[in-house]
Amino acid sequence: VPAPGSHTLQTHYYFHVRAPQGPGQDIEPAATVHFKNLRLVANQNDPKPPSAQSIVEYKGVQVSVSLDEDFKAAMDPTHFCSRAADVSTGAAKAEGQLVLKIQGSDVASFIVSGDSGSSEQLLRKSGLYVLVLTNCGDMDGISVLGSVEVKNAWGFLPAIDRGKQALYGFVVAFYLSVGVIWTLLCLRWWKSLLHVQKGILLTISFCISESVAWWCFFQVRNSTGGFPPFVFLLATLSSIWKTVAGFYAIMTDPSRGAEDAGISVQTHALLMLYLVLQFHLKVIMSFRHGFALTLTTVLLSALPVFVVGAIMLVSVYHKVNSFVEMLQGEKAEHKILLYQRLQGLVLFAGFFLSIAVVLEIFDPTTADMATWDFHFVVSDGIPQGSFACVLLAAMFFACPSQDMQGYEYVQQSQDGAVIGAPSTIWDDTDCEEDVGSIKHENGDRLVQVE
């Protein structure tokens, strides 16, 4: 990270910390901050980089982790670097260090030099901590290498994300159970499943992929403090793919099938645009609290998602309505009822999933430390629960059965006596009694799949 310019400071990251407080709580492990292998190096692209010897001797760069409320209240923008008077009054241990005008403020700090160094210190108060870099000397053109890790009593997960491990453990078990049940229901009618039924199976597979990836992501973060980018990418993309898969399942023409879905190029482009915008929003929301992104930044990222999502919902609604009209002409009563229900489900899903996103954007649980334990409910629990309810409703409406299936073409062997079209071409279910008395010598027929 490039060090601040001379006599300036920068804030870089925020940590949500739970530390033991009050009588009888000292038996719990305290939160710690680990300044790990920190050292100064010269910026290679600087036209006049400082010499290696001068960097080793330089003591002006300091990395600090301070309670955010103390930092904002005690930091004087015109006097944050200590002077001789501050040392004499006890406000600072030495000249050229960060000075806060609150006695007893919980601050962990480390002086960075050209030699690699590490230090581990305790954080004795709960709250929001901010990572601060200060340069109280005259040297420019330098960068800080190394890492700063804050560990709570349970691990490296921030206090607001603590509940997400257990949440996604439950979500994994839930979707695995749902996937097994739906697969067993589909196996009997596998050769004649409707496309929407196959689409539900694909959506469940993405739900499993997402929940497993998020569970692994939070496990790694909590145990090591690392950020596994591939697991994060898989989890984020799976959370979007499950929605896109649902749209494709509903919008596929029931008279055509997956190989010729009847979806226009414009609709494909709209779905891809939604995927890109949703990915950008999810990345913003994932880093929102650590980097203290403003509400304006979040809203600017969310607005295009809402606009494109609304257009998609209208498009899906009209598409499903056209399917209902087509099926009415074919007098397919069970399919008509299915798509009428799906039409209502689209509106229900659009409304409640939008409410979940709005709650996540205006999350009230992060403002007060007393409500941090409920943050996972707003950020992940409600969105996951809403999508699960929509999925379960779609499974109930489209459950494979004798009345909710297609037809399979079965070719019968010919004995060679007939050349050309056979005398009997199909066996219609409306004429089962009459057909039962007909003796077929040979030919092809359409039989309903049992």
Side-chain angles (χ1 to χ4, degrees):
V1 177
S6 60
H7 300 284
T8 61
L9 62 77
Q10 297 173 348
T11 58
H12 281 265
Y13 198 79
Y14 287 84
F15 303 96
H16 295 78
V17 175
R18 286 278 193 196
Q21 293 176 292
Q25 295 188 12
D26 290 337
I27 60 175
E28 299 181 17
T32 58
V33 55
H34 188 188
F35 302 101
K36 190 174 181 181
N37 300 325
L38 294 179
R39 65 189 180 95
L40 294 177
V41 295
N43 292 336
Q44 297 300 321
N45 56 353
D46 193 273
K48 294 182 179 180
S51 65
Q53 183 61 33
S54 62
I55 292 178
V56 170
E57 297 173 353
Y58 190 65
K59 305 297 181 183
V61 175
Q62 184 179 11
V63 179
S64 305
V65 174
S66 167
L67 276 171
D68 184 56
E69 58 182 358
D70 289 353
F71 176 75
K72 291 178 179 178
M75 198 275 294
D76 185 350
T78 62
H79 182 194
F80 56 84
C81 290
S82 60
R83 303 166 186 168
D86 298 313
V87 176
S88 61
T89 58
K93 296 180 180 180
E95 293 186 42
Q97 295 184 5
L98 176 66
V99 57
L100 300 178
K101 296 182 179 180
I102 289 184
Q103 297 297 324
S105 177
D106 197 10
V107 180
S109 61
F110 184 80
I111 304 297
V112 189
S113 67
D115 296 326
S116 179
S118 301
S119 175
E120 187 171 356
Q121 303 177 34
L122 297 179
L123 299 176
R124 302 186 182 278
K125 294 182 180 180
S126 298
L128 181 64
Y129 282 77
V130 59
L131 175 65
V132 184
L133 264 66
T134 55
N135 184 355
C136 291
D138 299 321
M139 184 178 292
D140 291 319
I142 50 178
S143 295
V144 179
L145 298 182
S147 62
V148 178
E149 301 172 344
V150 173
K151 185 178 182 180
N152 287 286
W154 57 83
F156 290 96
L157 269 182
I160 59 172
D161 292 337
R162 184 182 181 183
K164 294 183 180 181
Q165 276 183 288
L167 170 66
Y168 280 104
F170 171 80
V171 174
V172 168
F174 171 78
Y175 279 123
L176 284 175
S177 302
V178 169
V180 170
I181 293 172
W182 188 251
T183 301
L184 293 176
L185 289 173
C186 291
L187 282 177
R188 183 181 179 186
W189 319 101
W190 188 260
K191 294 183 179 180
S192 60
L193 287 178
L194 299 173
H195 182 70
V196 66
Q197 295 166 334
K198 296 178 181 178
I200 290 174
L201 187 59
L202 179 61
T203 302
I204 294 174
S205 68
F206 283 132
C207 290
I208 295 173
S209 172
E210 177 203 12
S211 56
V212 170
W214 278 129
W215 184 82
C216 292
F217 175 80
F218 289 116
Q219 283 288 108
V220 172
R221 282 208 69 188
N222 189 55
S223 59
T224 68
F227 186 93
F230 174 77
V231 180
F232 174 79
L233 181 64
L234 177 61
T236 304
L237 288 177
S238 295
S239 67
I240 304 169
W241 286 337
K242 70 180 184 183
T243 305
V244 174
F247 275 118
Y248 271 114
I250 296 176
M251 296 181 72
T252 298
D253 191 331
S255 66
R256 299 191 185 190
E259 69 280 353
D260 184 18
I263 300 178
S264 65
V265 175
Q266 292 83 355
T267 303
H268 282 295
L270 191 64
L271 286 169
M272 292 303 103
L273 177 61
Y274 175 81
L275 191 153
V276 172
L277 294 175
Q278 184 73 296
F279 179 81
H280 178 260
L281 176 61
K282 285 188 174 295
V283 171
I284 290 293
M285 296 301 294
S286 297
F287 293 98
R288 173 186 184 182
H289 300 292
F291 290 99
L293 300 179
T294 64
L295 180 61
T296 301
T297 301
V298 176
L299 290 176
L300 289 176
S301 301
L303 182 59
V305 176
F306 276 103
V307 172
V308 175
I311 296 173
M312 286 176 57
L313 284 176
V314 172
S315 177
V316 171
Y317 185 86
H318 287 291
K319 189 78 172 179
V320 175
N321 189 61
S322 69
F323 294 159
V324 172
E325 294 176 354
M326 177 191 68
L327 294 170
Q328 286 174 341
E330 299 177 2
K331 297 183 179 180
E333 298 298 332
H334 293 290
K335 290 183 180 180
I336 291 173
L337 181 60
L338 168 62
Y339 279 92
Q340 285 176 338
R341 288 174 171 177
L342 291 178
Q343 197 173 24
L345 186 61
V346 166
L347 298 179
F348 172 87
F351 175 76
F352 280 96
L353 291 178
S354 297
I355 294 297
V357 175
V358 170
L359 284 175
E360 186 179 2
I361 292 174
F362 297 96
D363 185 358
T365 63
T366 58
D368 189 348
M369 189 172 59
T371 57
W372 281 2
D373 291 338
F374 303 101
H375 168 71
F376 79 97
V377 177
V378 177
S379 65
D380 295 71
I382 293 177
Q384 289 289 340
S386 300
F387 192 89
C389 290
V390 172
L391 180 62
L392 291 175
M395 292 170 61
F396 176 77
F397 296 153
C399 184
S401 64
Q402 179 71 27
D403 299 322
M404 192 64 66
Q405 58 171 323
Y407 288 86
E408 179 187 6
Y409 179 78
V410 179
Q411 186 174 12
Q412 292 185 333
S413 60
Q414 298 185 13
D415 58 6
V418 178
I419 300 177
S423 59
T424 303
I425 300 177
W426 68 76
D427 181 4
D428 194 277
T429 55
D430 295 332
C431 306
E432 288 182 354
E433 295 181 0
D434 295 336
V435 171
S437 63
I438 297 177
K439 302 296 184 178
H440 292 285
E441 297 180 357
N442 48 42
D444 298 339
R445 62 191 176 114
L446 286 173
V447 296
Q448 192 169 9
V449 176
E450 298 293 338

